[in-house]
Amino acid sequence: MKESTLQLINYIMILALLVTLALHLAMQAFLGVNGYADALSYQTAISRYRDALSVSLLTILLIAATYHGLFGLRNILLEWRQGRSWHGVVTLTTVGLAVVMLGWGMRTIVLAFGGV
Amino acid sequence: MSDAIVSTEKAKAPKKDLITTQVKWGFRPPRNLEKLALLAQRVSGVGILAYLFFHIFVTGTIVGGPDGVPGGEDVFSGLMGMLFNPVAHIGELLVVVGATFHGINGIRVMLLELTRLVGHPLRPDYPYKTQMLGKGQQSILLTAMLMAGLSAIAGVFILFLGAA
């Protein structure tokens, strides 16, 4: 995929991230919870994973944060050193990390939403 | 006409580790706020990414999967109880402050790339003045720092003083 396309996707992910992260932080602090300790309780957390709207927000946040974070890391590493093999190693590593993070995050979301 | 002297020795770039390269660049003259903002953007970004990696696995304990991975109410509550302490709260506070700065400063960088915020190019007349940080950019950068400070105060109230 062209680097310009990757950057365009990154812009879209940033916009999604700005909205979903702000909401996620608010939901841990004051939105629908009675303090931070309440936000960390099992009942509050699992109820969010079973609510369709909340789980959609978490899914978008997971995808946007993983893409933006790993794309940023890839840019830093590619700026540090150059070369075809280094480019390949960095891209493969970031794709591998993305698979692990998205895979585990989606596993949690799917299983919790399904009531496991 | 004599032949040109050509060195056959392989060019060697000095090998420096990633952190040294980044930090030295940030503080090397000419120093300006924009370079420091980019350094802070990178440091906060990598820090948040590291936090996200562990956050995904910690919150993953909310479900006890059919795959035999330990999880469920007891494991999740135990883990959250373990992480509910002042040291972990300081880490969470740093994440919130870093995310706030990273977000607002990131908007500034996006506007630089996509709009005319960078300003019109001018002839470099003596005494040379950097054009990089114009009024618009400075305002956003100051907003990012101010919001990071405010989020730190809000974080202290929410995490340490139990405010809802």
Side-chain angles (χ1 to χ4, degrees):
Chain A
M1 198 180 278
K2 282 194 327 192
E3 291 295 323
S4 58
T5 313
L6 293 175
Q7 181 63 27
L8 187 66
I9 298 169
N10 190 38
Y11 284 137
I12 297 164
M13 294 297 168
I14 289 168
L15 294 177
L17 195 53
L18 282 171
V19 178
T20 52
L21 185 61
L23 279 170
H24 183 64
L25 290 176
M27 285 168 80
Q28 298 303 311
F30 54 83
L31 207 65
V33 287
N34 188 22
Y36 187 55
D38 181 34
L40 295 187
S41 74
Y42 179 79
Q43 289 309 322
T44 308
I46 200 76
S47 67
R48 282 176 176 166
Y49 277 102
R50 302 226 164 116
D51 174 56
L53 190 68
S54 172
V55 97
S56 310
L57 181 115
L58 286 172
T59 309
I60 296 168
L61 177 59
L62 174 71
I63 295 167
T66 304
Y67 184 92
H68 177 64
L70 291 175
F71 184 70
L73 180 69
R74 178 175 171 271
N75 281 349
I76 293 172
L77 292 173
L78 290 183
E79 193 187 286
W80 178 43
R81 280 184 187 172
Q82 290 80 40
R84 189 183 282 267
S85 56
W86 177 250
H87 195 284
V89 168
V90 169
T91 303
L92 273 178
T93 307
T94 45
V95 169
L97 278 171
V99 169
V100 171
M101 289 165 76
L102 285 176
W104 202 258
M106 286 312 293
R107 169 197 172 272
T108 307
I109 288 170
V110 169
L111 290 179
F113 189 64
V116 177
Chain B
M1 194 175 162
S2 61
D3 291 335
I5 301 166
V6 178
S7 170
T8 53
E9 197 180 338
K10 237 183 165 182
K12 282 180 190 170
K15 282 185 180 172
K16 284 178 185 167
D17 68 278
L18 179 60
I19 297 167
T20 312
T21 314
Q22 297 285 316
V23 174
K24 272 193 175 171
W25 173 83
F27 292 98
R28 191 171 55 204
R31 296 181 192 92
N32 63 55
L33 206 52
E34 194 183 39
K35 281 170 80 177
L36 288 178
L38 181 58
L39 184 63
Q41 184 78 355
R42 290 190 163 182
V43 170
S44 59
V46 172
I48 296 164
L49 180 65
Y51 173 82
L52 174 70
F53 187 81
F54 291 106
H55 186 61
I56 287 170
F57 289 96
V58 168
T59 50
T61 59
I62 201 163
V63 284
D67 41 16
V69 178
E73 186 168 357
D74 293 341
V75 177
F76 182 80
S77 299
L79 206 53
M80 288 301 128
M82 212 166 74
L83 292 173
F84 201 82
N85 63 67
V87 178
H89 285 348
I90 290 171
E92 286 163 333
L93 191 66
L94 285 175
V95 169
V96 172
V97 172
T100 310
F101 177 83
H102 190 90
I104 298 170
N105 189 47
I107 293 172
R108 179 183 68 88
V109 176
M110 266 180 81
L111 290 174
L112 270 182
E113 288 168 358
L114 302 173
T115 71
R116 289 185 169 189
L117 186 72
V118 75
H120 295 287
L122 292 173
R123 200 175 72 177
D125 285 330
Y126 187 82
Y128 308 116
K129 273 173 69 180
T130 178
Q131 266 186 273
M132 300 304 278
L133 271 175
K135 286 267 184 261
Q137 278 207 68
Q138 270 183 10
S139 312
I140 305 173
L141 191 52
L142 289 175
T143 308
M145 290 194 267
L146 185 71
M147 291 301 285
L150 288 176
S151 70
I153 295 168
V156 167
F157 272 99
I158 290 161
L159 292 166
F160 294 99
L161 303 173

